[in-house]
Amino acid sequence: MKRHGHLFDRAFTREALLAAFYAAAQSKRGRRACHMFERSLGSQLERLHHELHAGTYQPRPYYTFMVHEPKPRIIYAPAFRDCVVQHAIYAVIGPIFGATFIDQSFACRVGYGTHAAADYAQAALQQAPAGSYTLKLDIRKFFYRIDRPVLQQLLARKVKDARLMALLMAFADHGEPRGVPIGNLLSQLYALIYLNPLDHFVKRELRVRTYARYVDDFVLFGLSRDEALTYRAQIIDFLRDTLHLELSKSTIAPVSRGLNFVGYRTWADKRFIRSRALRTYRRAVRRADLESAASLLGHARRTHSLRSLLRSTEDQHYAVYRQLPPAYHHRDHAHAALA
């Protein structure tokens, strides 16, 4: 396995830090921290460059808060300057590790996502033999239970640079004995790297042809019931012995019963959004929250839920699309714009 050296120097040139600022700022425009950093951009980047190469750089403490959708989680928000550093690291090591990921790992990757995962799952149900089963599994509190020494070993398989490894592990630490901070850009990459051995175990050792994973939810398709039981036991052992993780739940079901995966209830011939998303959409429409409503309509765009979603909130929906520019003040145009 090839290991890559001199990554620290590649990640933290002045040009790379500038590119990392623009990447970090894409999702932070309008926020005070981004604005303050940009006001003195040259000096801020020069200070970062100096601290990194002098060995004095340290990530600042996280700002933490709770979210409750879909379940309670602690979010660790890094300082903006630390977002810039993480983007610089990601730009260098992302492609290195990305080359090792299977095509059926759908989360946190450019060109992938929930829609791609849902499309793959529906195609897999269509192609599964009649009378076969799906095995759906979910890892218990995945981000909170990542074993950082195991993560370090997985990172070191590709990274041969002590300075960069020290930074990678600094961003993995959040003051708890296990886990990585939810909210970091690099934590998304850590999740991909940490479960990459599981993907290869399922594909290479178990030789399962049709398989999909989105973060800590994963599905095996087209199995006999005996295969599903055997593979579940083997996966439990692999997670425990290799990655120090355990399952939260698992479901063995005939393919004819469909699949609950990546926010959709999917069958071979149809797909619906979950009832929770429908309730959230209706609340957004009542509040005239155009951004949230448009996002949820986009989520439902290629499902059987879309038409009934629009019909169920027809009058309130009109109040939402009235906020669109005048060119869209025709009902069909507004529906198209929101969808």
Side-chain angles (χ1 to χ4, degrees):
M1 183 176 293
K2 182 179 179 181
R3 300 176 71 219
H4 299 258
H6 307 292
L7 297 178
F8 187 96
D9 291 330
R10 282 176 52 194
F12 301 125
T13 65
R14 289 178 174 86
E15 294 78 12
L17 285 171
L18 178 60
F21 161 74
Y22 286 121
Q26 281 185 352
S27 60
K28 307 291 184 182
R29 291 294 183 189
R31 300 200 182 174
R32 185 174 183 275
C34 177
H35 174 68
M36 296 302 293
F37 192 96
E38 191 171 16
R39 280 182 60 182
S40 53
L41 181 60
S43 61
Q44 290 279 9
L45 293 179
E46 189 61 32
R47 186 178 301 116
L48 267 182
H49 183 269
H50 172 75
E51 290 178 15
L52 286 160
H53 288 274
T56 59
Y57 170 82
Q58 291 292 329
R60 292 180 178 173
Y62 292 103
Y63 169 68
T64 61
F65 59 95
M66 290 287 297
V67 298
H68 299 275
E69 289 286 345
K71 53 190 175 183
R73 293 179 297 166
I74 302 175
I75 303 298
Y76 295 80
F80 184 77
R81 73 195 305 261
D82 297 329
C83 292
V84 173
V85 173
Q86 289 191 48
H87 273 277
I89 294 172
Y90 194 98
V92 169
I93 71 169
I96 292 171
F97 284 98
T100 72
F101 300 150
I102 67 171
D103 289 341
Q104 295 78 34
S105 173
F106 285 98
C108 308
R109 301 173 66 188
V110 175
Y112 291 76
T114 55
H115 289 155
D119 288 345
Y120 179 89
Q122 188 163 38
L125 290 172
Q126 292 167 353
Q127 296 166 13
S132 65
Y133 290 78
T134 60
L135 170 61
K136 183 176 182 296
L137 308 108
D138 179 18
I139 296 172
R140 184 184 303 277
K141 296 183 178 180
F142 170 55
F143 281 93
Y144 299 105
R145 297 196 176 192
I146 287 177
D147 189 319
R148 289 198 293 272
V150 174
L151 174 64
Q152 185 170 6
Q153 292 173 9
L154 294 172
L155 290 168
R157 289 182 180 180
K158 287 292 186 181
V159 177
K160 188 175 63 174
D161 187 313
R163 290 185 296 172
L164 192 65
M165 280 296 301
L167 265 183
L168 287 168
M169 297 314 299
F171 281 119
D173 191 358
H174 60 301
E176 300 293 334
R178 298 189 69 174
V180 296
I182 300 174
N184 265 348
L185 170 68
L186 287 177
S187 291
Q188 299 175 15
L189 182 59
Y190 297 155
L192 287 167
I193 294 168
Y194 201 85
L195 289 182
N196 192 40
L198 169 67
D199 296 339
H200 287 278
F201 173 74
V202 172
K203 297 292 288 183
R204 295 184 179 184
E205 300 296 325
L206 302 185
R207 297 186 179 278
V208 174
R209 181 173 177 270
T210 314
Y211 162 82
R213 181 173 64 81
Y214 191 91
V215 193
D216 55 349
D217 290 338
F218 52 108
V219 189
L220 289 64
F221 297 87
L223 310 177
S224 70
R225 183 167 179 81
D226 286 344
E227 285 175 330
L229 291 168
T230 299
Y231 293 162
R232 180 171 64 183
Q234 291 177 293
I235 289 170
I236 288 172
D237 290 344
F238 179 85
L239 289 172
R240 181 192 63 231
D241 298 339
T242 305
L243 300 177
H244 304 164
L245 298 170
E246 62 183 51
L247 291 182
S248 170
K249 56 183 179 289
S250 64
T251 304
I252 297 172
V255 294
S256 59
R257 271 178 42 190
L259 179 68
N260 197 342
F261 185 54
V262 295
Y264 297 99
R265 187 74 173 125
T266 302
W267 285 263
D269 59 343
K270 55 185 176 290
R271 188 188 310 171
F272 296 91
I273 62 172
R274 292 176 179 168
S275 58
R276 183 177 66 237
L278 176 59
R279 292 193 298 271
T280 302
Y281 169 76
R282 286 171 174 164
R283 286 198 299 269
V285 170
R286 285 197 297 270
R287 296 195 307 268
D289 182 348
L290 180 64
E291 184 177 354
S292 296
S295 175
L296 288 160
L297 283 172
H299 179 62
R301 180 169 54 91
R302 296 170 64 182
T303 74
H304 285 67
S305 300
L306 180 60
R307 192 176 299 275
S308 61
L309 204 70
L310 294 174
R311 280 202 305 264
S312 70
T313 55
E314 187 76 18
D315 293 337
Q316 293 167 322
H317 190 69
Y318 182 69
V320 173
Y321 72 68
R322 279 170 53 191
Q323 300 178 49
L324 292 166
Y328 290 99
H329 283 180
H330 181 278
R331 183 157 299 213
D332 292 339
H333 290 168
H335 282 187
L338 288 172

